[in-house]
Amino acid sequence: MPYELIATLMFASMMLMLMTGQRVFGAIGFVAVVAALLLWGDRGGYDLGFAAAMKLMKWYPLLTLPMFIFMGYVLSESRIADDLYRMFHVWMGGLRGGLAIGTIGLMVLISAMNGLSVAGMAIGATIALPELLKRGYDKRMVTGVVQAGSSLGILVPPSVVLVLYAMIARQPVGQLWLAGVIPGLMMAVLFVVYIVVRCRVNPVLGPVLNEDERNLPRAEKLRLLRAGILPIVIFATMMVPFVNGWTSLVESSAIGALAAFMAAVLKGRMTREVFENSVRNTLGITCMFMWIILAALAFGAVFDGLGAVKAIEALFTEQLHLGPWTILILMQLSFIIMGTFLDDTAMLVIVAPLYVPLVGELGFDLIWYGILYTITTQIAYMTPPFGYNLFLMRAMAPPEIGLRDIYASITPFVLVMVLALALVMSFPGLATWLPGYVYGN
Amino acid sequence: MLGAVRGYVRAVDAVNYRIGRIVMYGIFVLMGILLWSSVSKTFFVPSLWTLELAQFAMVAYYVLGGPYAIQMGSNVRMDLLYGGWSLRRKAWADLITVLFLIFYLGVMLYGALGSTAYSLGYWGSEPLSFFAGLVTGSEEVGRMEQSPSAWRPYLWPIKAVMALGLFLMLLQCLSELGKDVLRLKGEAV
Amino acid sequence: QNKITWRMQTYAGAALAAEVIDPAIRMFNTIAGDRMEIELFYADQLVPTGELFQALQRGTIDAVQSDDDSMASPTEVTVFGGYFPFASRYSLDVPVLFNRYGLNEIWDEEYSKVGVKHVSAGAWDPCHFATKDPIRSLADLEGKRVFTFPTAGRFMSQFGVVPVSIPWEDVEVALQTGELDGIAWSGITEDYTVGWADVTNYFLTNNISGAWIGHFFANMERWNELPEDLQTLFRVCCEQSHYYRQHWYWGGEADLRVNGPKMELTSIPDEEWATVEAKAREFWDEIAQESETKARVVQIFKDYNALMESAGRPYRYG
Ligand code: NA
Ligand code: NA
């Protein structure tokens, strides 16, 4: 059987296996080891799966994974972001839709303190949403605000998704993180513009806050600004030594985790329950990631063994005569379509090993593509029927927000994200300027 | 028969729960190693062993913690169709699909045993008979594999931990299988 | 007749492999035509480098290009592969040692014991430091985290060097994420070819070995199944690969030192560097203590180097 056919068969059977609703790592791992056994069973094919475990052990940037996950849980479980929310609340409340805009600001700061979207989602759904609903904000708009805002967690540094991408693409994490800064802020601004426009057109969506709630004494208002210091301090203790080369990436992640933990302790929020939840959930989420990546690495090794990437590239360029840009756009489209029924982790580990080498072969800048990739992953994360945000929202949002609201809320924000994707594609400088400036190349 | 299944599920879940509860504090071990690495580098000479030890700690953390994560239901599923199914239907589907998972883990475990045997200096293709031979005394430990680094730690401990973790994971999946059987028999699990 | 397919993994990543192995494999496949094809995989692609030897023994892969040291071969000669400190001065020393001074026989013996076919040994480039900060004295080595070969790292750690072992493909990134301060892995040709020159600033002209010792290995059963003419063809292509590297590196090293724009050259004064060389002799004696085979190899290195010194210029200067 020709290798291309085997590769296609592997991919198809994996998708089929996934549809049965079984644990994702089981589906991927099963297809990987069966393929390895069928292809090279007589020649040590049974080893390939375990060799992936040894390979995974050597992927040192993954050591950051539990650190960033722990950080996120400490931030959300200990509610040290509450003060931050109150700051935005008072300062932005006077504007039409101001609380929603403030929530985006909150999400940007949360993003700068953790590497995943989960923390932002948890904080947004538990702190911001109830307040916004109480003030008569439109429930669909604000549900969308929280989901879209939290997705910035993986684009604004630190970002776990970009660490994983860096591993697969063999690109420097520092440059990728810096590349995410401007597109992340740009996307936040686009969200704000969207909120402002909608609230201008239809003021009912985001009423102005009551006088007595926002007219605090000036000194009190200034005091609230201090809440903003905490995220900046946490971000700085982690990023400054890293960008200056005093500590390495994995060391910085441990410093960040320690900083978040200490902040919670000093603010008196590290209760027994918070500690228990953070530690336990960190294990759960880390295991989920690691077992999926482990299975995907085995899958990738078999795919590599088949020379699948070269075959696909040959199919696109030699047989279909497509230009690099056409292929890139097709890839992003297929990415978005697959993303509607895959979640971001699955996208990352299944699609990336296939797409990233291809993009490299086509001659595109892999730092720039990392940002395109992350934005597309954000879209995948947002879109139903599969995405964490949907489950988390269902679990955490106030009861008046139904599943239909959650689904309906995301449409405009996904469109904004597609716009951001198009902008970064058209103007690569948005992603590449900052890392070039800082690292001087 | 069902009694035996019930007993097995209870025993395995209890063991893996206890292990998971201990291993979850490994996050602080990992953090400690990495922080020591930053401190020693800033104030003294960087340590030879921190990165590799952190890698070992990470492996122990996610491999031994895996069964507990399954108990917590942390593993993602694609629930496009699955999410809408009835409990009974889910149990039927799981009953079949968990077999795929068990197969995968079985192959992984076999690989782990082979690699562990290699790390103890066995170069044949029958790792199981090597371990049996170690017990009966007909085989002996040969040249022990060391990591190709300057620290040169022996690799059999971490490989043995991986084999143990995969074995526990296998037991946990069999327990999940047992739970599905019980569910289909109408028991609340 | 069925076409024979072999899977071969090199320890080199794609960028380096394009020079040091791709041409030889292309040549082999062209000549072998319909009879045999070698599929080449790069560093860590199928199996991680640490598992390479085991995979070769079992036949997960059929052939390997690597040094003994980084693939952690379970043999008595493992420490000598890669860069055994100061064992050779020039890349021609390696084929002389193997073909004229009996190393081929020792390697063949040692690998046969563990069921692997040692096909051929060849020389690569010298081992220099490429670092972010300049090294002008031994004191500058203190505390530097450096990607290097295990044995070279073990030796250099007495000068305060902290050897770090990570996958080859991750080195460039690790220099940028701060996991590494430098590398002691190659000569300047390789630094430029694989992109390390872009992420380091300084090149130390003193080397701890004049030439890397690397090999081609095959799974014993696969090798024995091969008809004799294909065995010969494989050998010839390996030799061709060694030959290509001889001129590619020799020419490249000189050219890039003089014309390379990306790295500044620094040196440790000869008198100071002589202490490192003296320590290497002590290290040799330590290694010779470990086993009879190791003692034999060390003795060969000693005899050879003594002869070269007696021969004088151009073999050895001073
Ligand atoms: Na982030
Ligand atoms: Na989705």
Side-chain angles (χ1 to χ4, degrees):
Chain A
M1 207 187 317
Y3 281 177
E4 292 90 331
L5 190 61
I6 300 175
T8 316
L9 244 154
M10 277 179 70
F11 203 78
S13 52
M14 183 185 63
M15 296 306 287
L16 204 69
M17 300 279 288
L18 285 171
M19 299 302 265
T20 62
Q22 65 179 303
R23 293 170 186 84
V24 167
F25 82 93
I28 303 173
F30 177 75
V31 176
V33 297
V34 167
L37 284 173
L38 290 178
L39 285 163
W40 307 300
D42 57 330
R43 297 209 221 152
Y46 50 85
D47 271 351
L48 240 94
F50 184 73
M54 297 305 289
K55 200 189 266 187
L56 186 57
M57 183 169 89
K58 292 279 174 188
W59 267 20
Y60 68 88
L62 285 180
L63 295 172
T64 59
L65 201 69
M67 295 300 136
F68 288 139
I69 292 171
F70 181 69
M71 225 172 140
Y73 273 111
V74 167
L75 288 173
S76 57
E77 293 282 333
S78 68
R79 306 183 66 99
I80 47 177
D82 286 21
D83 304 342
L84 213 55
Y85 179 71
R86 211 157 31 244
M87 173 184 92
F88 279 113
H89 194 111
V90 170
W91 279 84
M92 307 295 290
L95 294 172
R96 248 182 229 154
L99 291 188
I101 297 169
T103 304
I104 295 287
L106 174 70
M107 290 297 142
V108 171
L109 287 186
I110 302 288
S111 297
M113 289 189 289
N114 84 99
L116 287 170
S117 303
V118 193
M121 177 71 75
I123 291 166
T126 52
I127 305 173
L129 264 190
E131 299 288 324
L132 286 161
L133 293 173
K134 222 190 298 174
R135 302 302 184 296
Y137 272 64
D138 178 65
K139 62 180 177 179
R140 288 199 175 163
M141 185 180 76
V142 296
T143 310
V145 164
V146 168
Q147 294 181 81
S150 70
S151 78
L152 292 173
I154 59 172
L155 187 56
V156 174
S159 159
V160 166
V161 168
L162 281 172
V163 170
L164 296 178
Y165 174 87
M167 292 310 310
I168 292 163
R170 309 264 185 199
Q171 294 295 313
V173 180
Q175 296 216 15
L176 281 163
W177 279 3
L178 289 176
V181 172
I182 292 175
L185 296 179
M186 179 189 79
M187 200 184 279
V189 169
L190 289 175
F191 291 152
V192 168
V193 169
Y194 166 74
I195 294 166
V196 169
V197 170
R198 283 225 45 199
C199 292
R200 183 68 45 90
V201 175
N202 189 358
V204 187
L205 295 178
V208 173
L209 204 59
N210 287 335
E211 284 284 318
D212 50 323
E213 263 200 283
R214 61 193 159 89
N215 277 357
L216 297 176
R218 196 162 184 82
E220 177 72 18
K221 280 182 94 170
L222 285 175
R223 214 173 49 80
L224 277 174
L225 276 184
R226 289 203 317 217
I229 297 173
L230 181 72
I232 293 168
V233 167
I234 293 180
F235 185 72
T237 47
M238 182 171 50
M239 292 299 284
V240 169
F242 172 60
V243 171
N244 282 301
W246 302 330
T247 56
S248 70
L249 171 72
V250 293
E251 289 162 354
S252 307
S253 71
I255 292 172
L258 181 71
F261 184 74
M262 291 310 290
V265 170
L266 291 177
K267 296 205 108 195
R269 299 265 171 74
M270 189 41 79
T271 62
R272 247 191 118 75
E273 196 195 345
V274 169
F275 183 74
E276 155 75 20
N277 286 344
S278 309
V279 173
R280 193 189 57 230
N281 289 329
T282 302
L283 178 75
I285 301 291
T286 306
C287 286
M288 176 206 78
F289 267 111
M290 294 303 283
W291 284 88
I292 291 184
I293 297 169
L294 174 59
L297 270 183
F299 192 90
V302 180
F303 243 60
D304 255 353
L306 293 170
V309 174
K310 283 215 177 69
I312 293 170
E313 194 215 348
L315 173 75
F316 280 148
T317 53
E318 284 159 30
Q319 297 184 25
L320 298 176
H321 302 290
L322 300 177
W325 274 96
T326 319
I327 298 175
L328 189 81
I329 291 169
L330 282 177
M331 280 166 69
Q332 293 313 105
L333 279 178
S334 68
F335 205 149
I336 292 177
I337 291 166
M338 274 195 271
T340 60
F341 61 92
L342 281 176
D343 84 305
D344 48 346
T345 336
M347 291 297 289
L348 192 73
V349 292
I350 299 165
V351 180
L354 205 67
Y355 278 19
V356 173
L358 190 52
V359 171
E361 297 266 317
L362 292 172
F364 290 107
D365 177 11
L366 285 176
I367 300 276
W368 167 72
Y369 185 70
I371 303 309
L372 295 187
Y373 177 85
T374 306
I375 298 175
T376 318
T377 307
Q378 284 178 280
I379 298 173
Y381 155 93
M382 291 276 290
T383 47
F386 196 93
Y388 286 119
N389 56 324
L390 305 170
F391 306 139
L392 289 170
M393 266 293 168
R394 231 180 303 174
M396 293 187 290
E400 62 263 45
I401 295 179
L403 202 57
R404 290 178 60 122
D405 297 317
I406 298 175
Y407 282 4
S409 68
I410 61 150
T411 314
F413 289 96
V414 166
L415 292 176
V416 171
M417 288 169 153
V418 173
L419 173 66
L421 185 66
L423 283 173
V424 178
M425 275 176 104
S426 320
F427 305 101
L430 288 171
T432 54
W433 177 78
L434 188 61
Y437 178 76
V438 171
Y439 286 98
N441 55 357
Chain B
M1 181 62 203
L2 281 187
V5 174
R6 232 173 280 133
Y8 172 85
V9 167
R10 209 174 306 127
V12 167
D13 280 18
V15 168
N16 278 334
Y17 176 80
R18 299 246 154 73
I19 294 174
R21 294 294 300 180
I22 297 167
V23 164
M24 74 180 192
Y25 294 105
I27 182 80
F28 295 108
V29 175
L30 193 54
M31 206 187 290
I33 297 170
L34 294 176
L35 288 172
W36 171 250
S37 175
S38 336
V39 171
S40 69
K41 177 158 102 186
T42 315
F43 301 104
F44 320 101
V45 169
S47 314
L48 274 183
W49 46 270
T50 45
L51 190 63
E52 222 168 353
L53 190 65
Q55 289 170 336
F56 294 158
M58 176 76 172
V59 167
Y61 180 70
Y62 90 86
V63 173
L64 294 176
Y68 182 44
I70 288 205
Q71 288 181 12
M72 288 193 277
S74 304
N75 301 90
V76 221
R77 300 159 177 270
M78 220 167 89
D79 70 349
L80 176 60
L81 305 170
Y82 185 86
W85 292 348
S86 67
L87 274 181
R88 202 179 157 74
R89 190 156 187 183
K90 280 183 182 167
W92 265 116
D94 286 344
L95 189 69
I96 297 160
T97 55
V98 80
L99 297 175
F100 297 135
L101 181 52
I102 289 170
F103 182 83
Y104 164 60
L105 291 170
V107 175
M108 291 290 284
L109 178 59
Y110 187 73
L113 290 173
S115 196
T116 309
Y118 177 88
S119 70
L120 291 169
Y122 171 75
W123 298 319
S125 53
E126 308 282 338
L128 299 180
S129 69
F130 168 71
F131 286 116
L134 276 187
V135 175
T136 60
S138 63
E139 291 272 4
E140 50 189 87
V141 172
R143 182 194 174 100
M144 289 197 280
E145 185 188 11
Q146 285 170 289
S147 167
S149 64
W151 183 39
R152 294 198 298 160
Y154 287 111
L155 286 177
W156 67 265
I158 194 62
K159 288 186 173 177
V161 165
M162 287 160 110
L164 173 66
L166 285 162
F167 178 64
L168 292 172
M169 197 73 166
L170 202 57
L171 292 185
Q172 186 63 42
C173 290
L174 286 168
S175 162
E176 299 302 308
L177 179 71
K179 284 177 207 166
D180 289 326
V181 171
L182 294 176
R183 268 187 210 112
L184 288 171
K185 290 282 172 189
E187 289 189 33
V189 186
Chain C
Q1 191 193 353
N2 274 343
K3 189 172 183 175
I4 303 166
T5 337
W6 269 20
R7 299 194 296 153
M8 175 170 182
Q9 186 168 311
T10 168
Y11 90 106
L16 181 59
E19 295 285 350
V20 300
I21 180 70
D22 282 348
I25 297 303
R26 258 199 311 274
M27 181 183 296
F28 182 93
N29 288 337
T30 308
I31 301 173
D34 292 336
R35 297 183 58 205
M36 180 165 173
E37 182 177 1
I38 297 176
E39 293 170 352
L40 181 64
F41 298 92
Y42 303 129
D44 295 301
Q45 233 183 331
L46 286 184
V47 288
T49 301
E51 303 291 291
L52 205 52
F53 191 83
Q54 197 187 337
L56 178 65
Q57 260 185 343
R58 299 215 175 138
T60 313
I61 38 185
D62 308 297
V64 159
Q65 177 192 36
S66 176
D67 64 289
D68 323 73
D69 205 15
S70 38
M71 75 191 274
S73 313
T75 66
E76 288 300 308
V77 292
T78 297
V79 289
F80 304 111
Y83 293 117
F84 192 62
F86 297 96
S88 58
R89 178 73 53 93
Y90 304 117
S91 54
L92 266 178
D93 292 342
V94 174
V96 177
L97 280 161
F98 273 83
N99 293 300
R100 194 180 172 100
Y101 283 75
L103 293 192
N104 265 339
E105 288 69 25
I106 297 177
W107 256 251
D108 188 61
E109 219 172 89
E110 285 299 314
Y111 279 92
S112 298
K113 278 188 207 160
V114 292
V116 161
K117 176 69 192 169
H118 176 251
V119 180
S120 164
W124 291 39
D125 49 345
C127 183
H128 291 267
F129 282 83
T131 46
K132 289 196 248 186
D133 297 321
I135 299 172
R136 296 197 169 91
S137 68
L138 287 181
D140 291 337
L141 288 173
E142 195 80 28
K144 288 257 181 306
R145 279 157 321 139
V146 165
F147 175 66
T148 187
F149 287 84
T151 303
R154 197 170 139 195
F155 170 65
M156 287 309 290
S157 60
Q158 61 184 305
F159 302 100
V161 170
V162 183
V164 178
S165 110
I166 53 171
W168 189 93
E169 286 278 28
D170 294 335
V171 169
E172 187 176 347
V173 174
L175 281 159
Q176 287 168 298
T177 56
E179 240 69 41
L180 291 175
D181 303 312
I183 36 195
W185 181 273
S186 62
I188 197 165
T189 321
E190 204 162 303
D191 293 336
Y192 272 79
T193 306
V194 307
W196 294 339
D198 300 322
V199 289
T200 54
N201 306 310
Y202 297 92
F203 179 83
L204 180 68
T205 57
N206 312 69
N207 67 48
I208 54 177
S209 169
W212 184 80
I213 300 174
H215 316 268
F216 290 96
F217 300 103
N219 174 283
M220 193 62 96
E221 277 175 48
R222 293 291 101 70
W223 177 261
N224 291 334
E225 283 164 17
L226 228 52
E228 208 185 324
D229 62 332
L230 286 177
Q231 283 182 351
T232 309
L233 177 62
F234 187 74
R235 273 186 203 284
V236 167
C237 290
C238 292
E239 296 288 330
Q240 158 60 29
S241 156
H242 298 322
Y243 177 71
Y244 179 93
R245 284 194 307 269
Q246 285 280 356
H247 60 77
W248 186 62
Y249 279 120
W250 186 256
E253 296 296 302
D255 178 49
L256 285 168
R257 279 188 185 209
V258 178
N259 299 318
K262 293 178 184 173
M263 302 174 90
E264 190 183 314
L265 305 187
T266 63
S267 298
I268 295 177
D270 286 344
E271 318 78 74
E272 209 181 344
W273 195 245
T275 62
V276 180
E277 204 160 346
K279 287 282 181 195
R281 299 297 155 144
E282 285 172 29
F283 184 72
W284 287 18
D285 290 335
E286 262 170 53
I287 295 290
Q289 297 292 319
E290 290 177 3
S291 78
E292 208 181 304
T293 310
K294 288 179 183 173
R296 258 169 83 201
V297 178
V298 166
Q299 194 54 49
I300 290 174
F301 283 151
K302 282 184 174 171
D303 295 346
Y304 175 73
N305 279 292
L307 183 128
M308 283 290 149
E309 266 150 43
S310 310
R313 298 176 181 197
Y315 296 99
R316 297 289 187 267
Y317 292 80

